[in-house]
Amino acid sequence: MPCIEDWLTNPLSVAEGIFCETGKPDHERVREFFSNRLQENDALHRVPSLNDRPCHLLKSNSLVRFRCMVQDMFDPEFFLAVFETINKADNTSSLRCGMYQDVITCPENFQLMLESTRNVTKERHTFYCVPIPGETEWAKRKFAGKNVPPQSHGTTVERSSGIKRGLDEEMDQDDQNGIDSDPSTMETKRARPGETASGSEAPTDSQGPDLNFPLANEHGPACLVHLYDQESSFKVNDMVEFIGILSADPGVAVISDHRSGPNSSNSMDPCPGDLVTPEEEAAHHPPPSLVPRLHCLTYRRLTHSNPCIPDDIKGESSSQLMGQFAGIRGELLSLLTQVAYGDVLTAEYILLHLVSSVYNWSGIMPVGKFALNISGCPTSQSFPQELHKVVEQLVPKCHYLSMTLKNMNTLSFVPRKDYTANRLKSGILQLSESTNLMVDETALEAGQLDANGVKNVTALGNVISWQKLEYDFNFYKAEFTTNLLVLVLSEGKSLLPSDCHVVLRPQNPVQPAQIALRSVHLDTLERMQAFLGMARVAAYSLSSEMQEVLQNDFVKSRQQDHSNMTVEDFHLLLLMSRLMALSCGQSTLTPEMWKRVKEMEAERRARLASNSGN
C-alpha cells in the first residue's frame, strides 16, 4: 500500500494499489480508504481547496476538495474502468485501472488494446457544480483560515507519477513531434471539438465565458464532478463538499482538438456517430483550464454553510451550545436598531427573520418560513443598502436584489433548460437553502413590466408564499422546493406577498452600516455569526404547561372578538414565539417570551392601522 503521504499527493496510486490487490475496480474500498484517512485530526484541512487556491497552483492528479452547489446534472457517461495493455518487448499482457482519470496512457513500449474482451466499461455520473451562490466574504475567509498551510509539494505543477506521463513532458513532446494517432493514448470520453489545443479558450460572448453562475459577479471556479457511486441521491441546489482527484490536464483539450481536426481518425472516437451541437460540446466539455474536472472519491453533504459552527451540528447539540452565547442577543439587537433608524420594533422583527428557516413541510405548506416586508423605507436615503451591508456581515449567504424595472424585465429569475446546449441555464432564484435574499422594492420606478418581468415577479411571489420555484423545461414546468429567507424593503406595502408586514418608524437619523459595524468588536461579531447559525438549526419544543397557556389565550381572544384573533393570526403568533425563543438562545417558550410576542404584534398592528388611516 502507498506510504502515508501518497494518498494526498498521488491518490491514483491508492486506487491502483487496491486494483492490484482485488483484481477489479473497487470504488467502495477506495471510498472507504479515503473516508477513514480524512477522519484523522486536521486531515481534511490538509487537502487543498479549489475554493481558496487557483487551479494552476495545484498539481494535476492530486487530492483536492471543492465546497459547492450542484447547479446541473449531465447525462451519465461511459469510461474504461479496466483496460488491457500489451508489452511490445515480450508480448505479455496485463490489466490496468482506468478509474478517476480523463485520459489514460500506457507506459513506453506498451500498447493499449482497445478491442480486448478483457476491457471493462463502466458508467459514471457527471455534475456541473459552482461555488455556493451568495457566499459572503467573511465566510470565505473563515473557511480558508481553517486550512492547514500547504506544503511545498502542492504549490506548483509537477510531473505526474504512475501510468500517466508528466504534464510538462507531454507538452514538450507534443511541441516537438506533433500529436500522432497512436492508439496507446486514448481519452476515456468522446472527442471535444469545441476546445482548442491550448485548453485556454472557450466559447465566449462579449462579456467573457459563461460559467453559468446563478448570480452575477460571482468568483471562483466552476467544476465538473464525476461520481462513481452506482446510485446518486444528489439533486439540483444541494450543497456538497466533494473530495477527489483533480484533473486539469491541458492534454485533454489537445487530444480533443486533434480528433476534431482534418487528420482525425474515426477509429479514435468511441462515439463517432453522435450528433452533438457545438453549443453542447462547449457546455459539457469546456477546457479544463477554465472548468477543471474532479473525480470524486468521497464527499460530505453540507447541512449548512456557516464556518463558525461545527459541520455536523444538529438540533440538540446546537441547543446545548446556544447557552454559551447568553447576552449576545442584546448586542445583536442593538446593532440592528442602529441601522434601522433607532426603531427597536423593526429591529426585533428583523432579528426574528434572521433566525427563521423552513424546518418541516405540512403537505404543500412550508413550516417555519418568515418572509418579512418592511415598508416606510425612505426613498431619498440608502436604508436598503445599509441594512444589506450589516446583514451580509452576520450571515454566510446573502444577495441584494435591486428591483429596478430594467432588472425585472431583463434578468432571468427562473432556471430554464437550454436544449441546444443540453444544459440548465441558471436563474437568480437558483440558490441553496438558507440564503438571505434582500429585495429592494424602493428601486422600482414607474413603467411597464413586460412578459419576462411579470414572470419574474410571479416566480418571486411563489418562492415567498410556497417556497417553491418552477423550473422552465420549455415543454413542461418542474417544481423545486426552496428555503430562502426573503426580506422585502418597500416604500408602501409591497406588491409581493409576505408573512409579516411591519411599518418602519424612524426614531433617530440613519446610522451608516460602516459606523455601526465599527462599534462592534471582532470577537462579538464572530459570536453573532455563530449564534445566528446555531439558532437556525436548534431544536425547539413546547412544554405541556405552555401549550395550555397558548390554548387558553386563543379561546379567550376568540370569545372577545372573532375578528381579533383569526387562525392565521394565531399561527403567526406561534411562529413568532418559536423564533423569539430561538433568538433568546432557548429551546422552549416561556411566559415572558409569549407576552413579549403579543406586545410586539399589538404594536405592529397599531402602526398598520395608523398608517392606513393617514
Side-chain angles (χ1 to χ4, degrees):
M1 292 298 291
C3 69
I4 192 168
E5 288 300 324
D6 277 353
W7 68 274
L8 274 173
T9 59
N10 189 16
L12 279 175
S13 66
V14 176
E16 184 75 22
I18 292 176
F19 174 78
C20 292
E21 287 181 3
T22 62
K24 63 179 182 179
D26 194 339
H27 175 66
E28 292 301 319
R29 280 197 58 183
V30 172
R31 181 174 61 180
E32 181 182 1
F33 175 90
F34 283 94
S35 296
N36 291 337
R37 286 293 184 274
L38 293 170
Q39 289 176 4
E40 299 171 1
N41 291 336
D42 292 328
L44 180 65
H45 296 140
R46 291 171 59 200
V47 180
S49 173
L50 288 176
N51 300 91
D52 311 322
R53 301 182 62 197
C55 187
H56 68 273
L57 294 181
L58 297 170
K59 184 177 70 172
S60 191
N61 292 334
S62 63
L63 194 68
V64 299
R65 55 194 171 100
F66 185 41
R67 186 180 67 258
C68 60
M69 183 190 81
V70 177
Q71 191 276 322
D72 197 4
M73 305 158 102
F74 292 164
D75 295 331
E77 62 183 25
F78 295 97
F79 69 101
L80 277 179
V82 179
F83 59 95
E84 183 180 9
T85 61
I86 298 293
N87 189 330
K88 296 178 182 179
D90 56 15
N91 206 34
T92 58
S93 67
S94 60
L95 295 179
R96 308 298 295 262
C97 180
M99 298 277 285
Y100 317 117
Q101 303 171 72
D102 285 304
V103 177
I104 56 175
T105 61
C106 295
E108 191 174 354
N109 296 324
F110 279 75
Q111 180 180 357
L112 172 63
M113 305 301 292
L114 295 178
E115 305 299 328
S116 172
T117 57
R118 302 175 68 189
N119 290 351
V120 177
T121 301
K122 285 184 172 289
E123 185 181 80
R124 61 191 178 196
H125 303 275
T126 302
F127 298 117
Y128 188 85
C129 300
V130 297
I132 296 176
E135 192 169 54
T136 53
E137 291 302 320
W138 70 263
K140 294 178 182 178
R141 288 195 302 268
K142 282 192 176 296
F143 276 121
K146 292 183 176 182
N147 299 337
V148 175
Q151 303 298 318
S152 59
H153 62 252
T155 57
T156 58
V157 178
E158 300 175 0
R159 296 188 178 186
S160 303
S161 58
I163 67 169
K164 197 168 186 292
R165 291 179 300 166
L167 176 59
D168 297 336
E169 179 184 345
E170 284 184 357
M171 298 307 295
D172 291 343
Q173 184 170 334
D174 291 341
D175 290 340
Q176 294 173 11
N177 304 328
I179 302 176
D180 56 27
S181 55
D182 183 355
S184 64
T185 300
M186 176 188 174
E187 186 185 357
T188 62
K189 300 200 298 283
R190 63 191 177 192
R192 301 172 186 174
E195 296 177 353
T196 64
S198 66
S200 60
E201 297 295 329
T204 61
D205 53 28
S206 58
Q207 297 179 340
D210 179 14
L211 295 182
N212 212 15
F213 293 148
L215 302 178
N217 302 319
E218 289 279 289
H219 301 289
C223 191
L224 281 174
V225 178
H226 298 301
L227 254 70
Y228 293 82
D229 301 76
Q230 291 185 350
E231 293 185 4
S232 171
S233 58
F234 291 117
K235 57 184 183 298
V236 170
N237 302 345
D238 279 353
M239 293 186 297
V240 192
E241 185 169 49
F242 292 106
I243 301 99
I245 298 174
L246 173 68
S247 176
D249 190 346
V252 175
V254 171
I255 295 172
S256 300
D257 183 67
H258 170 68
R259 292 216 194 110
S260 62
N263 299 323
S264 62
S265 169
N266 284 342
S267 63
M268 286 289 295
D269 191 348
C271 302
D274 280 0
L275 298 177
V276 180
T277 65
E279 292 83 1
E280 182 175 349
E281 284 290 345
H284 288 242
H285 308 297
S289 58
L290 182 65
V291 180
R293 280 68 164 162
L294 191 151
H295 297 266
C296 179
L297 301 175
T298 185
Y299 57 81
R300 298 188 309 142
R301 291 181 179 273
L302 303 179
T303 56
H304 65 83
S305 59
N306 192 322
C308 295
I309 61 179
D311 297 326
D312 57 350
I313 194 168
K314 295 181 180 179
E316 294 182 0
S317 57
S318 174
S319 301
Q320 295 171 358
L321 289 173
M322 292 271 281
Q324 302 177 10
F325 293 86
I328 200 66
R329 186 187 195 277
E331 297 182 70
L332 187 54
L333 186 61
S334 174
L335 174 63
L336 295 173
T337 302
Q338 290 182 59
V339 77
Y341 295 89
D343 185 352
V344 178
L345 181 69
T346 298
E348 285 270 19
Y349 276 93
I350 294 174
L351 177 55
L352 298 188
H353 167 75
L354 292 178
V355 300
S356 66
S357 179
V358 175
Y359 63 91
N360 194 16
W361 286 82
S362 177
I364 62 172
M365 292 296 298
V367 182
K369 73 182 183 72
F370 190 62
L372 181 64
N373 171 214
I374 300 177
S375 66
C377 301
T379 56
S380 58
Q381 299 178 15
S382 56
F383 171 64
Q385 293 92 330
E386 296 301 318
L387 179 60
H388 171 254
K389 291 176 184 177
V390 170
V391 171
E392 70 175 352
Q393 293 299 321
L394 300 174
V395 299
K397 294 178 294 186
C398 187
H399 179 61
Y400 174 80
L401 175 60
S402 182
M403 205 170 169
T404 64
L405 197 63
K406 179 180 178 181
N407 284 345
M408 300 307 293
N409 287 338
T410 60
L411 296 178
S412 178
F413 284 23
V414 178
R416 61 177 178 83
K417 182 71 173 183
D418 180 354
Y419 286 96
T420 303
N422 192 22
R423 70 168 177 175
L424 184 68
K425 285 286 292 181
S426 63
I428 288 177
L429 296 180
Q430 189 183 4
L431 303 171
S432 60
E433 67 174 40
S434 295
T435 299
N436 286 78
L437 181 62
M438 298 189 63
V439 182
D440 181 8
E441 196 178 299
T442 66
L444 186 61
E445 64 273 18
Q448 184 70 37
L449 286 173
D450 60 17
N452 186 65
V454 173
K455 179 181 177 182
N456 285 337
V457 171
T458 302
L460 186 55
N462 287 336
V463 166
I464 294 173
S465 298
W466 306 102
Q467 287 294 329
K468 290 185 178 179
L469 182 63
E470 283 192 338
Y471 286 32
D472 184 2
F473 286 86
N474 200 2
F475 307 107
Y476 65 96
K477 308 285 195 236
E479 275 190 346
F480 286 77
T481 59
T482 63
N483 185 4
L484 306 182
L485 287 73
V486 185
L487 173 61
V488 182
L489 305 166
S490 58
E491 185 178 3
K493 189 179 186 302
S494 173
L495 59 88
L496 295 167
S498 65
D499 297 308
C500 186
H501 172 208
V502 61
V503 179
L504 178 68
R505 287 287 173 83
Q507 307 295 322
N508 302 317
V510 62
Q511 182 80 286
Q514 186 176 4
I515 296 177
L517 288 167
R518 193 178 299 163
S519 63
V520 180
H521 193 274
L522 180 59
D523 291 342
T524 302
L525 187 61
E526 290 178 351
R527 285 162 56 83
M528 291 178 181
Q529 295 162 350
F531 175 77
L532 290 177
M534 287 187 294
R536 288 187 183 182
V537 299
Y540 171 79
S541 61
L542 272 175
S543 65
S544 57
E545 293 81 5
M546 280 306 303
Q547 291 181 30
E548 186 176 352
V549 170
L550 299 180
Q551 182 178 346
N552 292 337
D553 267 13
F554 177 67
V555 172
K556 183 178 179 181
S557 299
R558 293 281 288 178
Q559 289 175 343
Q560 292 176 350
D561 186 354
H562 278 267
S563 61
N564 190 43
M565 179 64 73
T566 65
V567 174
E568 290 76 15
D569 294 335
F570 188 63
H571 178 269
L572 179 60
L573 283 174
L574 291 179
L575 173 60
M576 289 180 57
S577 298
R578 178 181 189 274
L579 300 177
M580 176 62 73
L582 295 176
S583 71
C584 292
Q586 303 296 320
S587 60
T588 188
L589 185 66
T590 64
E592 293 75 21
M593 295 175 190
W594 174 243
K595 179 182 178 182
R596 175 56 184 153
V597 166
K598 291 192 295 182
E599 291 173 349
M600 287 172 56
E601 271 296 275
E603 185 177 352
R604 182 184 72 87
R605 288 171 177 272
R607 286 191 184 185
L608 289 176
S610 174
N611 200 57
S612 61
N614 292 337

